Amino acid sequence: MPYRFEGKVAIVTGGARGQGEQIVRALAREGCSVVIGDVLDDLGKNLADELGESVVHAHLDVTAPSDWADAVALATSAFGGLDILVNNAAVYRRQLLEDETLAELDKVLDVNLHGPFLGIQAVVPAMRARQGGSIVNVSSLAGTTSYAAHGSYSMSKWALRGLTRTAAIELVSSGIRVNAVLPGNLRTTMSPTTAGGETPTGLKRQADPSETANVAVFLASDDASFVNGTDVVADGGSLLGW
Ligand SMILES: NC(=O)c1ccc[n+]([C@@H]2O[C@H](COP(=O)([O-])OP(=O)(O)OC[C@H]3O[C@@H](n4cnc5c(N)ncnc54)[C@H](O)[C@@H]3O)[C@@H](O)[C@H]2O)c1
């Protein structure tokens, strides 16, 4: 069976660890060339070295337009173009609304919302040159419900779903699909449960990040050719509240 991503090229932000690392591994396993875009350069380079010549690391701070331009240029010079963007990088923040500051809110929005916005702007010309592409934005359950002390994070993840839909509408004529994945609680550095916080409901466990990475990879693939402008929740059923 041919690899699903043979001849395809992807940028995965926040690809050096956690769920992003699993997305990079899954794409590379299925024949994709990948640019890891992260601020964790040592981790990103180590992963790229491990995975071989079809994976490279780029220092990409998603808040910096010039880093985006460099990452797209690298994808094109190293692999000949760009087909897939996974906007996975984010920062997590816990703070009650009454104690939150505008400066801290701005920091969260900068990475989690402005980052994907800049990413979409940066990749579209390269995707148009290939007659299409797929963009996957990683939102969160906090982007469809919320929790105490999650104001800044939740705002960023809800807004990312709005960006997803607008982009899907505007880019459909360019053959570019745009979707969001909403993971539940993952066993990564970011998760409050990993750090000893509340117990997840639904399947009564945290997800291994590879489980939700598979959903992002599906949305990135041609298997999702008729999935556009929507959200896929991957939460083990915890939204049902049991
Ligand atoms: N962990 C969870 O329980 C959970 C739940 C729902 C959604 N998510 C989402 O999944 C995605 C991956 O999170 P994770 O759990 O793997 O967390 P993580 O902290 O392990 O990974 C986040 C990655 O983003 C990178 N990053 C942060 N700021 C960046 C910036 N300015 N530019 C580039 N890269 C930057 C980090 O260096 C890191 O590699 C995030 O979008 C997160 O919001 C996580």
Side-chain angles (χ1 to χ4, degrees):
M1 201 171 81
Y3 289 133
R4 265 196 302 182
F5 293 97
E6 201 68 63
K8 302 275 188 184
V9 183
I11 294 176
V12 181
T13 70
R17 74 174 189 200
Q19 179 182 249
E21 174 187 344
Q22 297 306 318
I23 295 169
V24 171
R25 288 183 183 280
L27 287 171
R29 213 164 33 235
E30 295 202 58
C32 199
S33 299
V34 185
V35 176
I36 300 169
D38 207 306
V39 289
L40 298 175
D41 294 325
D42 289 345
L43 278 183
K45 280 181 193 151
N46 287 345
L47 182 60
D49 287 347
E50 181 198 323
L51 294 177
E53 58 190 25
S54 64
V55 180
V56 296
H57 171 78
H59 178 86
L60 170 59
D61 178 342
V62 296
T63 68
S66 61
D67 285 0
W68 275 110
D70 291 347
V72 173
L74 178 62
T76 305
S77 63
F79 303 127
L82 184 64
D83 310 282
I84 293 161
L85 168 65
V86 185
N87 276 315
N88 164 81
V91 290
Y92 178 65
R93 172 123 180 110
R94 261 181 111 88
Q95 184 58 276
L96 294 171
L97 289 176
E98 285 177 89
D99 298 326
E100 187 58 304
T101 64
L102 197 53
E104 291 296 335
L105 168 63
D106 279 345
K107 277 192 214 166
V108 174
L109 294 178
D110 252 0
V111 177
N112 297 7
L113 181 61
H114 303 167
F117 162 73
L118 291 172
I120 291 169
Q121 287 192 326
V123 302
V124 163
M127 288 185 179
R128 279 207 183 105
R130 307 264 267 197
Q131 270 80 53
S134 177
I135 297 172
V136 181
N137 294 325
V138 178
S139 177
S140 168
L141 271 199
T144 193
T145 180
S146 196
Y147 311 94
H150 276 67
S152 297
Y153 183 74
S154 186
M155 277 188 261
S156 72
K157 294 298 189 177
W158 273 90
L160 184 55
R161 291 175 59 212
L163 172 62
T164 301
R165 287 173 193 212
T166 305
I169 293 164
E170 293 186 8
L171 298 176
V172 70
S173 57
S174 301
I176 300 170
R177 293 181 298 104
V178 190
N179 291 289
V181 57
L182 280 58
N185 197 312
L186 310 181
R187 200 180 317 118
T188 63
T189 315
M190 181 182 282
S191 168
T193 310
T194 307
E198 64 263 26
T199 309
T201 53
L203 289 177
K204 311 292 182 202
R205 63 174 175 84
Q206 290 179 289
D208 184 276
S210 65
E211 295 179 277
T212 50
N214 287 339
V215 180
V217 168
F218 163 71
L219 290 172
S221 79
D222 290 343
D223 288 344
S225 53
F226 208 58
V227 184
N228 196 15
T230 195
D231 310 304
V232 179
V233 174
D235 72 334
S238 65
L239 268 183
L240 295 174
W242 31 267

